[in-house]
Amino acid sequence: MAPIDTSKTPIVWVLGGPGSGKGTQCEKIIAKYGFTHLSTGDLLRAEVKSGSERAKCLTTIMERGDLVPNDIVLDLLREAIVAAAADAKGFLIDGYPREKSQGIAFEKAIAPVTVIIYFEASPETLTQRLLGRAASSGRADDNADTIKLRLKTFLDNNDMVLAQYPDKLKRINAEDSVENIFGQVQQILDPLVAK
Ligand code: AP5
Ligand code: MG
């Protein structure tokens, strides 16, 4: 693929536990900045719907709250980035990396990350939000058992992921209102687009 000039097209990793508000904040970022949003969870759910060969093992893994093999996730991401690269103003990579090796593989295969936004919330808050969403989301992984497993997978990996990028990491308290959180997000993103 042609290299991405990240001085013109920033790459933002949007991280946080299950239910931390990654998708909610990405919608607001898209509305203000016009960035291209790629959620690995959404890409995987679309792949499952498509019924493709590589989707066959995905449902079971996601219902266990486990991580899908990185070659599948990275292929999906790379395909989506290539498809959007010509017109993209910036990329929001939502839910990736989820383990140390994923970050390394992304930067090697695609481009260096510009900034990492991490939405921090307690396991209790995350669980409450996901249980609240479960009635309407239609997601097979929004049930009490899978939510516990998703949280465990997140907690097992998160510190190691974040520790790799001390200089690029921006932590945001995600226990606040959606609007206040977006206020903090803008303080991080405004300087990137003003360049
Ligand atoms: P994914 O789809 O990414 O799920 P997740 O990380 O568990 O997070 P969610 O999408 O459920 O939550 P969110 O942070 O987007 O929060 P939202 O804005 O929706 O991944 C699903 C699965 O795919 C994984 O478990 C794994 O199996 C696989 N996968 C994905 N990426 C992978 C990778 N890189 N490698 C391997 N496998 C991968 O908000 C949640 C709720 O809270 C909503 O109801 C919302 O309205 C509410 N809310 C949001 N903000 C606030 C607020 N400030 N105050 C109150 N309520 C709020
Ligand atoms: Mg999401």
Side-chain angles (χ1 to χ4, degrees):
M1 64 185 270
I4 294 173
D5 179 355
T6 51
S7 68
K8 297 199 184 83
T9 313
I11 295 181
V12 183
W13 288 349
V14 181
L15 302 183
S20 58
K22 302 184 291 293
T24 302
Q25 292 297 324
C26 281
E27 277 182 27
K28 298 184 75 67
I29 298 171
I30 297 163
K32 174 166 178 185
Y33 300 93
F35 285 5
T36 299
H37 178 214
L38 300 173
S39 151
T40 47
D42 290 348
L43 290 171
L44 288 164
R45 283 184 288 276
E47 191 69 16
V48 167
K49 263 198 187 155
S50 80
S52 73
E53 191 59 33
R54 67 183 167 186
K56 282 185 184 150
C57 65
L58 299 181
T59 311
T60 325
I61 298 174
M62 290 166 78
E63 283 177 3
R64 284 201 310 253
D66 274 340
L67 297 179
V68 164
N70 189 38
D71 52 346
I72 299 181
V73 183
L74 192 58
D75 276 355
L76 287 171
L77 257 186
R78 189 177 14 209
E79 285 163 18
I81 288 172
V82 167
D87 304 314
K89 294 182 181 166
F91 284 103
L92 297 171
I93 310 294
D94 163 351
Y96 188 105
R98 288 190 199 229
E99 61 173 18
K100 200 175 164 189
S101 64
Q102 289 195 350
I104 296 167
F106 181 101
E107 293 199 298
K108 196 168 164 209
I110 296 169
V113 62
T114 310
V115 71
I116 302 165
I117 299 180
Y118 171 59
F119 294 117
E120 195 157 26
S122 70
E124 293 73 24
T125 299
L126 299 177
T127 305
Q128 282 315 312
R129 285 189 190 164
L130 291 178
L131 288 173
R133 191 183 68 180
S136 61
S137 72
R139 273 176 54 169
D141 60 351
D142 277 352
N143 61 75
D145 289 343
T146 307
I147 289 168
K148 272 190 206 135
L149 298 167
R150 284 159 70 192
L151 261 175
K152 181 179 184 313
T153 301
F154 166 71
L155 293 170
D156 285 347
N157 291 290
N158 182 51
D159 288 347
M160 275 180 286
V161 172
L162 299 186
Q164 278 176 290
Y165 310 96
D167 300 337
K168 293 184 176 175
L169 181 63
K170 308 283 183 194
R171 288 174 183 266
I172 292 183
N173 173 9
E175 307 252 356
D176 210 338
S177 70
V178 171
E179 284 310 320
N180 286 350
I181 294 169
F182 188 57
Q184 293 194 58
V185 167
Q186 291 173 80
Q187 288 182 22
I188 296 167
L189 296 183
D190 280 351
L192 292 182
V193 295
K195 268 198 279 188

